[in-house]
Amino acid sequence: NASDISIAMNGYSIIGPGIQSTKSGIIVPDVDNVTVYGPGRIVAFQSGIFATGSNKVGVSSIFLDDNRIGVYLTGATNSTLEYNMMRNNELGIAAHSSRDILSNENYFYDNSLAGISFINTGDSTIALNYINGSQNGIFTDPSSFSNDISFNFLRNIIDINSANGLPNDITN
């Protein structure tokens, strides 16, 4: 609950009570410049990392598995998610009402609903990720805007789902 801090996992795991709980492994509430970096593992939470109203959140080299949501960003800005492994979650990354998110070189495998889900999220970049085995590789809703999705490896039932199957607006 402080700005300008780093959390080094140092190879340790944070193990929760299960995805049916309301618990999060790490919560970053309304603060700036917080970094969580590994190696390390966060498993069995409703959300592995939950950032709300925060600016400049960084998550790197973390293994997030068997959570409902690996990383959940709501009202967050300028967040960077790099070199993480998100496996067997319902959602790997979920961003709601956020902007300037960078998802770069992450590995998503068997996240049941989606690897990445953007709801009302804009000015963000999804690049160089490996997303495999999800219902939706990348999901964006109609209120998401100006997102750059490029150079990803996608192998899912639906690779890019722009508002439940509506055609992609390539001008936006």
Side-chain angles (χ1 to χ4, degrees):
N1 198 19
S3 293
D4 302 314
I5 63 168
S6 293
I7 300 169
M9 296 286 293
N10 291 327
Y12 286 96
S13 296
I14 301 173
I15 301 172
I19 67 170
Q20 299 306 321
S21 75
T22 58
K23 306 294 182 192
S24 296
I26 295 174
I27 301 173
V28 183
D30 297 314
V31 293
D32 298 332
N33 198 29
V34 173
T35 302
V36 180
Y37 65 96
R41 183 173 179 229
I42 302 174
V43 59
F45 287 97
Q46 183 181 51
S47 54
I49 298 173
F50 176 55
T52 180
S54 296
N55 182 44
K56 293 186 180 174
V57 174
V59 178
S60 65
S61 302
I62 303 294
F63 195 102
L64 296 130
D65 63 322
D66 296 317
N67 300 290
R68 178 166 283 154
I69 302 170
V71 176
Y72 183 27
L73 306 167
T74 179
T77 56
N78 299 308
S79 297
T80 301
L81 312 168
E82 294 183 300
Y83 318 120
N84 300 292
M85 163 88 72
M86 295 174 217
R87 186 183 68 159
N88 294 330
N89 304 291
E90 288 182 15
L91 298 166
I93 296 172
H96 291 216
S97 301
S98 297
R99 51 187 306 123
D100 297 313
I101 309 300
L102 171 63
S103 173
N104 184 56
E105 294 189 57
N106 295 294
Y107 181 85
F108 300 85
Y109 187 74
D110 282 348
N111 296 288
S112 60
L113 297 177
I116 299 173
S117 174
F118 279 1
I119 307 296
N120 191 31
T121 295
D123 299 320
S124 297
T125 301
I126 300 170
L128 301 169
N129 297 282
Y130 178 89
I131 306 173
N132 184 22
S134 298
Q135 173 67 34
N136 298 283
I138 300 169
F139 176 86
T140 60
D141 78 332
S143 59
S144 292
F145 58 93
S146 299
N147 293 304
D148 177 22
I149 300 171
S150 57
F151 303 107
N152 296 284
F153 176 86
L154 303 167
R155 190 176 177 132
N156 305 277
I157 295 171
I158 301 170
D159 287 327
I160 299 177
N161 186 343
S162 180
N164 290 321
L166 296 175
N168 290 318
D169 179 357
I170 58 172
T171 62
N172 241 352

